[in-house]
Amino acid sequence: MRRNMSQQTLFVSAYDTEFIGDCVAACRRIAEVHKAHKAPATFFITGLVLEKDGAELRRVLDDPDLFEIASHTYSHKMLRNQPICGPAVTLEEIREEVFRGKQLVEDVFERECVGLRPGCGFEHGLKGAPEVLAIIQEAGLQYTSSELWGPHYTVPAPVVDAYTYAEDGFESLWEFPGHGWHENVLKGHNATPGRLLLWPPVYPDCALPGYVETPQEEFEVHKYFVDKAVSEGFEYVNLVWHPWSLGKFDPEMKMLDLLFAYCRDNGVGFDRFDGLLARRQ
């Protein structure tokens, strides 16, 4: 929902925590920065990561007042066809991805899991996929964050509002899109033919000459989307981040420190996805 211009735009930090690199070490440093800034966050964690490192991640992230723990599916399989990451798996496998991923979050952290971010995400979220939405609702999940790409699966993803899947018959199931760059793509950490840029670009004033090379450069890119959300009156802005990639590029998480300080200094608040959900209930 677009906010009243007199209200505060919220920055929602979210981390797709996958079975790549040393995600525990990266999450530990990320959590330290969040605690220093008193900035809440949502961690979407795969079931595979929880099976291997769940006990340690609970020690790092078990702060219910600060960190929401949500599901990144069980093993990152595609819930619908995705031209970059591959075809959808069967409905039976989707059911396992959804139910098993949610259950592992609840078993490890001993609290309810209400959110799901599918692996890789999709251009139009889960619109037009009622069979998948039915599984998600049956599992007891209350929101997804699956719309993570711009037109024709390009980046950056435009800043857009949250919505429900009422048109597909699921009016109580919310979608909270992600915005801006997938930071792993921004750094060239994944194979990205042609940098996945749309021509003409959605945001021509945010054109980049190449991959970012320093935390300061990365901060400037993300700052653009924060400023856009504020200037255009959006309720929130969320960027697509991955602990393994953040840690590989910037182990001290200097970019996070810069961005959170910038938000504070410019009147941008902080929230989690379950906080946005609570505003609607």
Side-chain angles (χ1 to χ4, degrees):
M1 79 185 154
R2 194 68 63 88
R3 69 181 173 90
N4 181 301
M5 289 298 290
S6 65
Q7 295 177 333
Q8 186 181 44
T9 294
L10 301 169
F11 186 88
V12 177
S13 298
Y15 300 91
D16 295 2
T17 309
E18 304 162 356
F19 199 68
I20 306 175
D22 190 346
C23 73
V24 172
C27 286
R28 183 179 294 111
R29 179 56 188 149
I30 289 167
E32 290 172 352
V33 177
H34 275 274
K35 289 176 180 178
H37 286 272
K38 296 181 174 60
T42 296
F43 285 81
F44 294 105
I45 310 178
T46 65
L48 286 179
V49 169
L50 291 172
E51 285 180 337
K52 178 179 181 291
D53 294 319
E56 184 60 28
L57 280 172
R58 175 162 179 172
R59 283 190 284 271
V60 171
L61 300 176
D62 195 17
D63 187 339
D65 293 330
L66 201 61
F67 301 133
E68 175 195 7
I69 310 300
S71 175
H72 197 34
T73 73
Y74 172 65
S75 65
H76 210 267
K77 291 177 181 176
M78 293 299 100
L79 302 193
R80 71 183 311 178
N81 293 337
Q82 220 268 22
I84 298 169
C85 300
V89 296
T90 67
L91 284 177
E92 183 178 349
E93 290 174 288
I94 289 172
R95 175 176 290 275
E96 180 180 36
E97 289 293 302
V98 172
F99 275 79
R100 193 172 177 185
K102 178 180 187 290
Q103 190 63 56
L104 277 161
V105 169
E106 294 178 341
D107 288 348
V108 170
F109 284 88
E110 298 184 280
R111 47 178 149 137
E112 185 181 14
C113 171
V114 299
L116 170 73
R117 175 170 280 177
C120 298
F122 312 103
E123 178 184 356
H124 301 297
L126 292 166
K127 293 176 184 174
E131 303 93 342
V132 178
L133 292 168
I135 291 171
I136 290 168
Q137 181 166 278
E138 182 186 346
L141 292 157
Q142 299 176 47
Y143 78 83
T144 66
S145 179
S146 64
E147 185 175 317
L148 307 178
W149 298 84
H152 310 294
Y153 280 91
T154 58
V155 286
V159 181
V160 294
D161 286 317
Y163 56 86
T164 74
Y165 285 104
E167 290 186 4
D168 288 287
F170 301 89
E171 63 182 13
S172 64
L173 185 59
W174 280 89
E175 169 66 35
F176 294 111
H179 312 130
W181 283 86
H182 295 213
E183 55 75 31
N184 52 324
V185 175
L186 186 63
K187 299 156 185 169
H189 287 171
N190 292 82
T192 53
R195 292 179 55 78
L196 305 176
L197 289 168
L198 182 71
W199 187 261
V202 176
Y203 298 122
D205 52 341
C206 189
L208 303 175
Y211 297 126
V212 296
E213 296 182 355
T214 67
Q216 180 69 38
E217 288 183 2
E218 184 182 4
F219 159 71
E220 294 294 339
V221 173
H222 297 325
K223 169 181 171 293
Y224 172 89
F225 294 94
V226 173
D227 291 343
K228 177 160 287 292
V230 171
S231 66
E232 296 186 6
F234 283 91
E235 176 194 14
Y236 80 96
V237 59
N238 163 250
L239 305 167
V240 185
W241 290 343
H242 307 78
W244 71 267
S245 177
L246 291 165
K248 179 179 178 179
F249 181 78
D250 177 19
E252 293 302 312
M253 304 298 169
K254 296 176 183 177
M255 181 279 293
L256 296 185
D257 194 53
L258 288 169
L259 191 62
F260 296 164
Y262 179 81
C263 288
R264 292 274 188 216
D265 292 345
N266 288 273
V268 177
F270 296 94
D271 207 341
R272 321 182 308 195
F273 280 125
D274 61 350
L276 298 183
L277 181 70
R279 294 165 185 264
R280 291 158 166 79
Q281 295 176 329

